[in-house]
Amino acid sequence: MEHRTKRDPNLHSLVSDFENMIATGDLSYLKEKSYFQLVEYYEDESQLDKAIEVIDLAITQFQYRSEFYIAKARLLLQKNEIEETLSFIETAETIAPYQLEIMTLKARAYASRGSYSLALNIVDNVKDVATPSDKLEIRLTEAFIFECMGDYEAMFQSLKNALIISPTNKEALERIWISVELSKNYEESILLHKVVIEEFPYNHLGWFNLGHAHACVGEYKQAIDALEYSFLTNSDFEAGYIDCAELCFQVQEYARAKDIYEELNKKFGPDAEYLVGVAHSQYQLGDYKAAKNNFKKALKIDPYNDEAYYLIANCHIKESNWLQALNALNQAIDLDDMREEYYHSLARCYVHLGDFVSAKKYYYKAAKNGVEQPLYWEEYISFLIKIGEFDAANRIINEAEKYTYSDKLIYCKAIISLNSDQRRKGIEALEEALIENFDNHQFFLDLAPTMNDDKDVVSAIRYYQGEKESIQSSI
């Protein structure tokens, strides 16, 4: 997610005046600087057509300024209108031949349409006459070409060289993470960004990239600390807060996640997403009352947030308020009827309310929506076993095996067979499950406690326990 930044009030005034001018048809001339400010504003807002409209007016006023033709070509390239881009580059070349920005933009346009040899030739030719100050743009263009080619290792090396030239270059810092993820150069990225930060300790994008690289190699403490520095060094860097909060939540540092989400909401909100983050962290910390309060605040901002309803339901479930949970889950399902976890929770509520017919209905919906996830099949079949519906359990397990696999399903199959006068088949299934995952045999015994007194079952478990211990002692 791109971070939001606070706008200069003078810029808002300029934008307002310009849009008024367009609306009334009073097309007054502006200063060059004003045109570029407007273009930057509309680019930041992802309104490329508006930015092009600004450039078109600028060109009518400044017909022989190559900068405006270059700017239009750059905007057209962002829209992937390649041939029109090249046409404006050609016009710019007639005004300012051999200008570096024109050549690198042409190379990017060729790369965007798949003419990689032409693009690389332009870069090679420019390298021969490049001044030291030109090298940064050449490296950035080279990286762009390699990205189009799908050569992410070469892209990374070009961007690394760009950062060696200019450790604070925004384009290099923003694009290098793509190359790191796709080339898996995590360790090299860590070393590179440590050098960048050592030279420029307030480089928030450097800290941001360092944090993600640490996370990818499992160094979560260092990752969280680096991501935190990304927004401590730039308090307006929203993405830093978001990714740090998400990682804290992922590694179960819920109190820290809550604090960051609260800061996000205070600084950039009110925002439903951040309130849900606060509330979800409170839920994990066991503060269900506060969590429900914040989920409800989120829903006032975004009444179509199905996840907020689902998590409110989870709070009610933790408090054994089954009817309130049902109400919230039904609201979540009204908004998104494809989420298997919603049906799964609904089934659990009906089990606690003693409505087994509804429980079966929603366990099945959960399993069918999450068809490749064994959890939902396992719990549905376990429920059927608990209420003694072995024939139904057998039909469902046969269906489940078409989509997924787990040792718990084999344990369930063993219980079904042992309770259906298919003793030999049941013991064979039990042995298969014990070989597959001996540690889950307690699941089997908890689901079928009478098996604790079955001599054949106890004998099989003891045998495979001995086999496991023998293997472990030989390692």
Side-chain angles (χ1 to χ4, degrees):
M1 175 185 286
E2 290 191 5
H3 65 281
R4 301 171 222 172
T5 55
K6 294 179 180 177
R7 297 287 188 188
D8 180 348
N10 292 328
L11 178 58
H12 276 300
S13 178
L14 175 63
V15 171
S16 179
D17 289 346
F18 174 75
E19 293 189 348
N20 235 12
M21 186 175 78
I22 295 296
T24 60
D26 179 19
L27 304 181
S28 304
Y29 285 149
L30 299 174
K31 294 178 181 177
E32 286 181 66
K33 181 182 176 183
S34 297
Y35 283 121
F36 284 116
Q37 285 177 314
L38 287 166
V39 168
E40 185 179 0
Y41 171 84
Y42 287 122
E43 275 194 273
D44 286 346
E45 295 295 313
S46 300
Q47 296 184 44
L48 296 182
D49 288 335
K50 274 278 189 186
I52 289 171
E53 191 175 358
V54 172
I55 286 294
D56 285 341
L57 284 172
I59 287 173
T60 63
Q61 185 178 342
F62 301 98
Q63 294 180 34
Y64 300 103
R65 296 302 299 269
S66 62
E67 293 92 331
F68 291 115
Y69 291 96
I70 292 168
K72 180 154 184 183
R74 179 172 50 77
L75 292 166
L76 289 167
L77 183 58
Q78 288 182 61
K79 293 186 68 180
N80 205 37
E81 295 179 8
I82 307 303
E83 297 311 317
E84 201 171 347
T85 298
L86 289 168
S87 173
F88 272 88
I89 289 171
E90 190 177 329
T91 303
E93 279 184 299
T94 63
I95 299 169
Y98 310 115
Q99 187 174 323
L100 176 73
E101 192 175 359
I102 295 172
M103 302 306 292
T104 55
L105 193 55
K106 184 191 279 190
R108 289 178 185 238
Y110 280 140
S112 295
R113 77 173 185 188
S115 302
Y116 306 127
S117 296
L118 286 173
L120 289 170
N121 282 340
I122 290 171
V123 169
D124 289 340
N125 291 336
V126 171
K127 278 181 185 176
D128 294 337
V129 295
T131 64
S133 62
D134 293 337
K135 288 181 179 177
L136 172 63
E137 183 55 37
I138 291 168
R139 291 298 184 187
L140 293 171
T141 301
E142 195 173 57
F144 180 89
I145 297 167
F146 288 131
E147 182 177 3
C148 291
M149 294 171 66
D151 188 344
Y152 301 109
E153 175 62 37
M155 177 190 175
F156 173 78
Q157 296 303 328
S158 293
L159 289 170
K160 182 177 83 169
N161 288 328
L163 287 174
I164 290 168
I165 296 167
S166 176
T168 59
N169 182 265
K170 186 180 178 184
E171 182 180 346
L173 287 164
E174 287 182 341
R175 301 305 296 170
I176 198 166
W177 182 244
I178 294 168
S179 70
V180 171
E181 275 196 302
L182 294 168
S183 66
K184 304 193 184 304
N185 270 324
Y186 307 125
E187 297 289 357
E188 194 173 352
S189 180
I190 289 170
L191 294 173
L192 171 65
H193 285 92
K194 281 183 176 178
V195 171
V196 166
I197 290 160
E198 190 173 337
E199 189 174 352
F200 293 94
Y202 290 92
N203 187 332
H204 69 283
L205 289 173
W207 284 112
F208 187 67
N209 290 342
L210 178 62
H212 280 288
H214 276 305
C216 285
V217 296
E219 295 171 352
Y220 298 118
K221 183 184 182 303
Q222 298 96 315
I224 289 168
D225 288 345
L227 289 170
E228 189 170 47
Y229 275 117
S230 78
F231 61 82
L232 290 176
T233 53
N234 180 353
S235 62
D236 290 328
F237 185 49
E238 190 178 8
Y241 292 91
I242 293 168
D243 289 4
C244 189
E246 288 179 353
L247 184 56
C248 286
F249 193 94
Q250 181 184 321
V251 300
Q252 299 180 10
E253 287 198 25
Y254 300 120
R256 197 169 178 182
K258 177 183 76 71
D259 290 344
I260 298 169
Y261 277 123
E262 284 177 337
E263 183 63 24
L264 260 168
N265 193 60
K266 181 180 175 183
K267 189 169 184 64
F268 301 102
D271 185 286
E273 180 185 346
Y274 304 148
L275 281 166
V276 167
V278 172
H280 203 174
S281 301
Q282 290 169 326
Y283 167 82
Q284 294 293 349
L285 291 165
D287 191 351
Y288 306 125
K289 183 178 178 181
K292 284 187 290 185
N293 186 44
N294 278 310
F295 283 131
K296 287 171 184 174
K297 286 181 182 178
L299 286 166
K300 284 183 180 178
I301 298 169
D302 177 13
Y304 300 101
N305 191 323
D306 55 282
E307 187 180 6
Y309 281 114
Y310 169 65
L311 292 168
I312 286 174
N314 282 351
C315 291
H316 287 306
I317 287 169
K318 289 289 185 181
E319 297 169 331
S320 300
N321 296 325
W322 309 112
L323 291 174
Q324 293 94 321
L326 283 179
N327 180 56
L329 286 167
N330 282 315
Q331 287 178 290
I333 289 167
D334 284 343
L335 293 168
D336 186 347
D337 62 1
M338 298 302 292
R339 296 282 291 273
E340 55 269 18
E341 63 269 36
Y342 298 178
Y343 293 113
H344 181 240
S345 291
L346 204 57
R348 286 181 163 186
C349 287
Y350 280 117
V351 169
H352 284 282
L353 290 168
D355 184 349
F356 292 171
V357 172
S358 295
K360 286 190 286 185
K361 174 184 174 181
Y362 291 111
Y363 269 134
Y364 187 64
K365 274 184 171 287
K368 290 297 283 185
N369 275 34
V371 72
E372 294 180 354
Q373 300 178 59
L375 166 69
Y376 301 112
W377 295 104
E378 289 163 4
E379 190 160 333
Y380 182 24
I381 294 160
S382 297
F383 170 69
L384 292 170
I385 289 170
K386 286 176 185 175
I387 62 174
E389 294 192 11
F390 295 107
D391 288 343
N394 190 51
R395 286 196 304 275
I396 297 301
I397 209 166
N398 288 333
E399 184 175 357
E401 287 178 330
K402 296 174 185 176
Y403 306 108
T404 191
Y405 174 86
S406 81
D407 59 270
K408 285 185 178 180
L409 289 176
I410 304 172
Y411 278 116
C412 288
K413 188 184 286 189
I415 294 170
I416 293 165
S417 295
L418 288 167
N419 281 276
S420 305
D421 297 325
Q422 294 178 300
R423 188 164 189 79
R424 183 176 176 182
K425 186 177 178 183
I427 295 297
E428 287 175 354
L430 174 60
E431 289 177 341
E432 182 185 348
L434 290 166
I435 293 168
E436 184 70 24
N437 187 343
F438 177 82
D439 292 339
N440 270 341
H441 75 277
Q442 195 57 49
F443 162 81
F444 170 85
L445 294 174
D446 290 342
L447 188 55
T450 59
M451 297 299 166
N452 283 287
D453 300 322
D454 188 302
K455 291 180 181 179
D456 292 335
V457 168
V458 171
S459 175
I461 291 172
R462 284 178 180 168
Y463 175 79
Y464 286 102
Q465 183 173 17
E467 287 286 297
K468 180 185 175 184
E469 289 170 355
S470 174
I471 291 167
Q472 287 177 336
S473 65
S474 67
I475 296 174

Coordinates of all heavy atoms in Angstrom, one line a residue, residues 338-341 343 363-377 403-404:
M338 N -18.8 -17.0 0.6 CA -17.8 -18.0 0.1 C -16.7 -18.3 1.1 O -15.8 -19.0 0.8 CB -17.2 -17.4 -1.2 CG -18.1 -17.2 -2.3 SD -19.0 -18.7 -2.8 CE -17.7 -19.7 -3.4
R339 N -16.8 -17.7 2.3 CA -15.8 -17.9 3.3 C -16.1 -19.2 4.2 O -17.0 -19.1 5.0 CB -15.6 -16.7 4.2 CG -15.2 -15.4 3.4 CD -13.7 -15.4 3.1 NE -12.9 -15.3 4.4 CZ -12.6 -14.1 4.9 NH1 -13.0 -13.0 4.3 NH2 -11.9 -14.1 6.0
E340 N -15.3 -20.2 4.1 CA -15.5 -21.4 4.8 C -15.4 -21.3 6.3 O -16.2 -21.9 7.0 CB -14.5 -22.5 4.3 CG -13.0 -22.1 4.4 CD -12.5 -21.5 3.2 OE1 -13.3 -21.0 2.3 OE2 -11.3 -21.5 3.0
E341 N -14.6 -20.4 6.8 CA -14.4 -20.2 8.2 C -15.7 -19.6 8.8 O -16.0 -19.9 10.0 CB -13.2 -19.3 8.6 CG -13.2 -17.9 8.1 CD -12.6 -17.7 6.7 OE1 -12.7 -18.6 5.9 OE2 -12.0 -16.7 6.5
Y343 N -18.9 -20.4 7.9 CA -19.8 -21.5 8.0 C -19.3 -22.5 9.2 O -20.1 -23.0 9.9 CB -19.9 -22.3 6.7 CG -20.6 -21.5 5.6 CD1 -19.9 -21.1 4.5 CD2 -21.9 -21.2 5.7 CE1 -20.5 -20.4 3.5 CE2 -22.6 -20.5 4.7 CZ -21.9 -20.1 3.6 OH -22.5 -19.4 2.6
Y363 N -21.4 -27.5 8.7 CA -20.1 -28.1 8.6 C -19.9 -28.6 7.2 O -18.7 -28.4 6.7 CB -20.1 -29.4 9.5 CG -19.6 -29.2 10.9 CD1 -20.3 -29.7 12.0 CD2 -18.4 -28.4 11.2 CE1 -19.8 -29.5 13.3 CE2 -17.9 -28.3 12.5 CZ -18.6 -28.8 13.5 OH -18.2 -28.6 14.8
Y364 N -20.9 -29.0 6.5 CA -20.8 -29.5 5.2 C -20.5 -28.3 4.2 O -19.6 -28.4 3.3 CB -22.0 -30.2 4.7 CG -21.9 -30.8 3.3 CD1 -21.0 -31.8 3.1 CD2 -22.7 -30.4 2.2 CE1 -20.8 -32.4 1.8 CE2 -22.6 -31.0 1.0 CZ -21.6 -32.0 0.8 OH -21.5 -32.5 -0.5
K365 N -21.2 -27.2 4.5 CA -20.9 -26.0 3.7 C -19.4 -25.5 3.8 O -18.8 -25.1 2.9 CB -21.9 -24.8 4.1 CG -23.2 -24.9 3.3 CD -24.0 -23.6 3.7 CE -25.3 -23.5 2.8 NZ -25.0 -23.1 1.5
A366 N -19.0 -25.5 5.1 CA -17.6 -25.1 5.3 C -16.6 -26.1 4.6 O -15.7 -25.6 3.9 CB -17.3 -25.2 6.8
A367 N -16.9 -27.4 4.6 CA -16.0 -28.3 4.0 C -16.0 -28.1 2.4 O -15.0 -28.2 1.8 CB -16.4 -29.7 4.3
K368 N -17.2 -27.9 1.9 CA -17.3 -27.7 0.4 C -16.7 -26.4 0.0 O -16.2 -26.3 -1.1 CB -18.8 -27.8 0.0 CG -19.4 -29.2 0.1 CD -18.7 -30.2 -0.8 CE -19.1 -30.1 -2.2 NZ -18.6 -31.2 -3.1
N369 N -16.8 -25.4 0.8 CA -16.2 -24.1 0.4 C -14.6 -24.1 0.6 O -13.9 -23.5 -0.2 CB -16.7 -22.9 1.3 CG -18.0 -22.4 0.7 OD1 -18.8 -23.2 0.1 ND2 -18.3 -21.1 0.8
G370 N -14.2 -24.9 1.6 CA -12.7 -25.0 1.7 C -12.3 -26.4 1.4 O -11.6 -27.1 2.2
V371 N -12.6 -26.8 0.2 CA -12.6 -28.3 -0.2 C -11.3 -28.9 -0.1 O -11.2 -30.1 0.2 CB -13.2 -28.4 -1.6 CG1 -12.3 -27.9 -2.7 CG2 -13.6 -29.8 -1.9
E372 N -10.2 -28.2 -0.2 CA -8.8 -28.8 -0.2 C -8.2 -28.7 1.2 O -7.1 -29.1 1.4 CB -7.9 -28.1 -1.2 CG -8.3 -28.4 -2.6 CD -7.4 -27.7 -3.7 OE1 -6.6 -26.9 -3.2 OE2 -7.6 -28.0 -4.9
Q373 N -8.9 -28.1 2.2 CA -8.4 -27.9 3.5 C -8.9 -29.0 4.4 O -10.1 -29.1 4.7 CB -8.8 -26.6 4.1 CG -8.2 -25.4 3.2 CD -8.7 -24.1 3.8 OE1 -8.4 -23.7 4.9 NE2 -9.4 -23.3 3.0
P374 N -8.1 -29.9 4.9 CA -8.6 -31.1 5.7 C -9.3 -30.7 7.0 O -10.1 -31.4 7.5 CB -7.3 -31.9 6.0 CG -6.1 -30.9 5.7 CD -6.6 -29.9 4.7
L375 N -8.9 -29.5 7.6 CA -9.5 -29.2 8.9 C -11.0 -29.3 8.9 O -11.6 -29.8 9.9 CB -9.0 -27.7 9.2 CG -9.8 -27.0 10.4 CD1 -9.5 -27.7 11.7 CD2 -9.5 -25.5 10.4
Y376 N -11.6 -28.7 7.9 CA -13.1 -28.6 7.9 C -13.7 -30.0 7.7 O -14.8 -30.3 8.3 CB -13.6 -27.7 6.8 CG -13.0 -26.3 7.0 CD1 -12.1 -25.7 6.1 CD2 -13.4 -25.5 8.1 CE1 -11.6 -24.5 6.3 CE2 -12.8 -24.3 8.3 CZ -11.9 -23.8 7.4 OH -11.4 -22.5 7.7
W377 N -13.1 -30.9 6.9 CA -13.6 -32.3 6.7 C -13.4 -33.0 8.0 O -14.3 -33.8 8.5 CB -12.9 -33.0 5.6 CG -13.1 -32.4 4.2 CD1 -12.3 -31.6 3.5 CD2 -14.3 -32.6 3.4 NE1 -12.9 -31.3 2.3 CE2 -14.1 -31.9 2.2 CE3 -15.5 -33.3 3.6 CZ2 -15.1 -31.8 1.2 CZ3 -16.5 -33.2 2.6 CH2 -16.2 -32.5 1.4
Y403 N -10.7 -34.8 -2.5 CA -10.2 -33.4 -2.5 C -8.9 -33.2 -1.7 O -8.1 -32.4 -2.0 CB -11.2 -32.4 -2.0 CG -12.5 -32.5 -2.7 CD1 -13.7 -33.0 -2.1 CD2 -12.6 -32.1 -4.1 CE1 -14.9 -33.1 -2.8 CE2 -13.9 -32.1 -4.7 CZ -15.0 -32.7 -4.1 OH -16.2 -32.7 -4.7
T404 N -8.8 -34.0 -0.6 CA -7.7 -33.7 0.4 C -7.2 -34.9 1.1 O -7.8 -36.0 0.8 CB -8.2 -32.6 1.4 OG1 -7.1 -32.1 2.1 CG2 -9.2 -33.2 2.4

